[in-house]
Amino acid sequence: MESESPAPFPASLETVWGLRERPHKGPKRGLTLDGIVTASIAVADAEGIEAVSMSRVAKELGASTMALYRYVATKDELVMLMVDAAIGPPVPLPPHVSGWRAGLEHWAVMMRAALSRHLWAVSLVAAHGPPVTPNQLAWLDQCLQVLSETRLDHGEKIAVSLLVSGQVRSELTIVALLRQDPAGAERRMAGYGKFLRRVTEGGRLPALRAAVADGAFDDMDAETAGDSADFDDFAFGLQRALDGVAAYLEEQG
């Protein structure tokens, strides 16, 4: 007799969707799934996602580790819920934002702002496969609504959402790496232009050499602090991605 396959989605996910009743009585009074997720995020914000463990979160809550397993079965489940809570719901489009392009720009900028508050979540957004949590699916829904006025089919709209959200995560991945060790990043980047000048001498890497000679790498150390320079890079990349969508729409008539 074949054993039943495991449920595709954990009980904790059904709980946050309201498809399963939340546990009322537990071994510790006041312990809730929301409280567990909130405490976990606080640990990740302060010490990084590596510091999050079931035992550490239990300690923060003054509960036993086993008590947490009444609400989440694994650490992976907990991290999935942490990411969803960290992102939060999408910001409604302001009344003055109209048109698919302005709507997508707002969507991307707001997503970047949400993830910037919890940079540890950037690499984990897509770690558990396609979005299944409430906030992540709400972000997708908003993007599809923005694109509803276009002639794109549903598959193309989803592809555009992946393109734009990927642009957000790609840029923030660099920001996160720089902010993990700003002093070290500054040391490495301060002499990067000079290093490239040396290794491209004698006709090696001619296209890169031309960029170096034009000063393209001279100010990269300014980005190590995560200031407005990184947002300029983000804005440039986002606009070029939207240019691509606009060109495709024009081709489709």
Side-chain angles (χ1 to χ4, degrees):
M1 180 177 178
E2 294 185 1
S3 60
E4 293 185 4
S5 60
F9 302 110
S12 59
L13 182 60
E14 294 186 351
T15 299
V16 297
W17 273 107
L19 302 176
R20 177 187 292 255
E21 187 176 359
R22 293 175 180 265
H24 291 297
K25 296 181 179 179
K28 176 177 172 54
R29 185 181 299 275
L31 193 63
T32 65
L33 180 58
D34 291 342
I36 292 169
V37 172
T38 299
S40 303
I41 290 175
V43 172
D45 285 345
E47 303 176 36
I49 191 65
E50 299 81 8
V52 176
S53 66
M54 299 294 274
S55 59
R56 173 62 187 280
V57 175
K59 182 179 180 180
E60 292 293 321
L61 293 168
S64 68
T65 302
M66 290 306 297
L68 268 61
Y69 286 107
R70 177 177 171 82
Y71 300 86
V72 284
T74 66
K75 179 184 173 180
D76 282 345
E77 279 185 35
L78 176 59
V79 170
M80 178 178 64
L81 299 178
M82 288 171 61
V83 171
D84 194 61
I87 295 172
V91 179
L93 269 65
H96 67 273
V97 173
S98 62
W100 70 266
R101 182 162 185 145
L104 277 184
E105 184 174 357
H106 170 87
W107 186 76
V109 169
M110 292 299 101
M111 179 183 292
R112 183 186 188 277
L115 284 170
S116 293
R117 293 189 287 269
H118 307 281
L119 284 173
W120 53 266
V122 173
S123 63
L124 300 171
V125 169
H128 296 88
V132 294
T133 49
N135 289 328
Q136 284 191 276
L137 283 177
W139 280 94
L140 176 58
D141 182 74
Q142 186 183 62
C143 183
L144 297 179
Q145 290 183 47
V146 165
L147 293 169
S148 62
E149 66 180 63
T150 70
R151 296 181 181 179
L152 297 174
D153 62 34
H154 290 300
E156 291 170 330
K157 292 172 186 175
I158 293 172
V160 169
S161 77
L162 293 173
L163 170 68
V164 178
S165 62
Q167 183 72 29
V168 173
R169 295 198 306 275
S170 176
E171 189 266 346
L172 279 181
T173 297
I174 298 173
V175 174
L177 290 172
L178 293 176
R179 291 184 183 175
Q180 282 179 1
D181 181 16
E186 186 171 359
R187 288 194 301 271
R188 290 189 296 271
M189 299 301 288
Y192 190 58
K194 293 180 180 179
F195 169 77
L196 291 180
R197 287 182 185 277
R198 293 180 61 192
V199 299
T200 57
E201 289 178 349
R204 287 185 294 188
L205 310 174
L208 180 59
R209 176 67 178 185
V212 172
D214 196 44
F217 296 92
D218 289 352
D219 297 325
M220 289 191 68
D221 58 328
E223 297 184 13
T224 61
D227 56 13
S228 59
D230 62 8
F231 183 79
D232 291 339
D233 289 344
F234 167 69
F236 178 84
L238 174 61
Q239 292 306 320
R240 302 297 73 77
L242 298 181
D243 286 346
V245 176
Y248 180 76
L249 287 170
E250 186 174 352
E251 289 176 2
Q252 302 306 305

